[in-house]
Amino acid sequence: MSRNDLILKIISRVSALLSAAVVLLILGFLIREATPALREIGLHRFLSDPSWHPLSGNFNLKPMIVATLVTSLGAVLIAGPLGIASGLFVHFYAPPALATGHRRIVEILAGIPSVVFGLWGLVVLAPIIANLGGSGQNLLTATVVLGLMVLPTVAVLSDNAVAAVPREAIQGAAALGMSRWATVWNIVLPESRSGIAAGVILALTRAFGETMAVLMLAGNVVEMPTSLLSPGRTLNANIALELGYASTSHRSVLFVSGLILMLVVSVMVTVISRRRRTT
């Protein structure tokens, strides 16, 4: 092993150890801050209390957990197909100049601040969705905007996954007379499924972590949603709104919310790692 290879190996190991240490420190901090609520209140009350009224001693997180799942999963259902189609478009259907321009647009979309997405959703999208009922500030508006926000993650990773497909396989399909769509469906998508799946799951983790746009658009009403047109509040938005003035048990329960989000993201990252090891 050369000296440069040895240095790179040491740097990569140190980076991995530092990353693991940071994650463990964050997890330990969340557990420490959430422990008082877990001891005094108990897990069952986070799902069984009549409502979320911390000043009255009610700490029902279920409506916010449901709102978080609805907006995050809905966003990925929007961004997933569009992002995969974007990756296929730039490789198999777009002329080179258009493909380059498309990639630039995706990069710009990835760089737009979340508050700008929130303002656009509030001014443009919410009045349109209000025609379906309500004020327009509801889970549907938040889900659509969140889908646009995580779209670049799926698009970029799908682009990279498709680019990694061996050219020999694609050229062999063309030599056999397979159509472009048959090549995409039977060769490209199966070969790139691991990278595409990683992009979708990473987009889902970002959707779980988004706060500002959802805070502006979801309506911020803590009640069990009955449809996508219902207002709601996610766990992230609840932490952002109430941590500044929360104290004692109320504050600790907010850290329980953060711990829930951290554990969900950890599970997703574990799924990504296992998929990469098995492919």
Side-chain angles (χ1 to χ4, degrees), residues 98-119:
L98 181 57
T100 300
H102 181 82
R103 288 190 175 101
R104 297 295 174 269
I105 292 173
V106 171
E107 292 170 1
I108 293 171
L109 190 65
I112 297 175
S114 61
V115 68
V116 175
F117 275 104
L119 289 171

Side-chain angles (χ1 to χ4, degrees), residues 75-95:
V76 170
L77 288 176
I78 293 171
L82 292 176
I84 296 170
S86 172
L88 296 174
F89 173 74
V90 297
H91 283 281
F92 294 100
Y93 295 96

Side-chain angles (χ1 to χ4, degrees), residues 105-138:
I105 292 173
V106 171
E107 292 170 1
I108 293 171
L109 190 65
I112 297 175
S114 61
V115 68
V116 175
F117 275 104
L119 289 171
W120 175 82
L122 199 61
V123 175
V124 177
L125 186 60
I128 296 173
I129 293 181
N131 294 324
L132 301 176
S135 66
Q137 291 179 261
N138 52 39

Side-chain angles (χ1 to χ4, degrees), residues 57-70:
N58 293 317
F59 299 101
N60 191 351
L61 295 175
K62 186 161 61 175
M64 290 178 282
I65 293 173
V66 171
T68 303
L69 291 173
V70 168

Side-chain angles (χ1 to χ4, degrees), residues 193-218:
R193 66 182 182 276
S194 178
I196 291 174
V200 171
I201 295 176
L202 286 175
L204 184 57
T205 62
R206 188 194 169 187
F208 268 106
E210 177 53 42
T211 301
M212 183 55 67
V214 178
L215 178 63
M216 298 171 68
L217 298 172

Side-chain angles (χ1 to χ4, degrees), residues 30-31 34-43 46 252-253 256 259:
L30 290 173
I31 291 173
T35 296
L38 294 173
R39 287 179 177 172
E40 296 170 14
I41 300 172
L43 284 173
F46 298 140
S252 185
V253 172
V256 172
L259 182 60

Side-chain angles (χ1 to χ4, degrees), residues 44 85 93 102 110 170 179 183 186 211 224 235 244 268-269:
H44 69 283
Y93 295 96
H102 181 82
I170 298 174
S179 66
T183 301
N186 294 296
T211 301
M224 184 62 70
L235 292 172
M268 292 178 182
V269 172

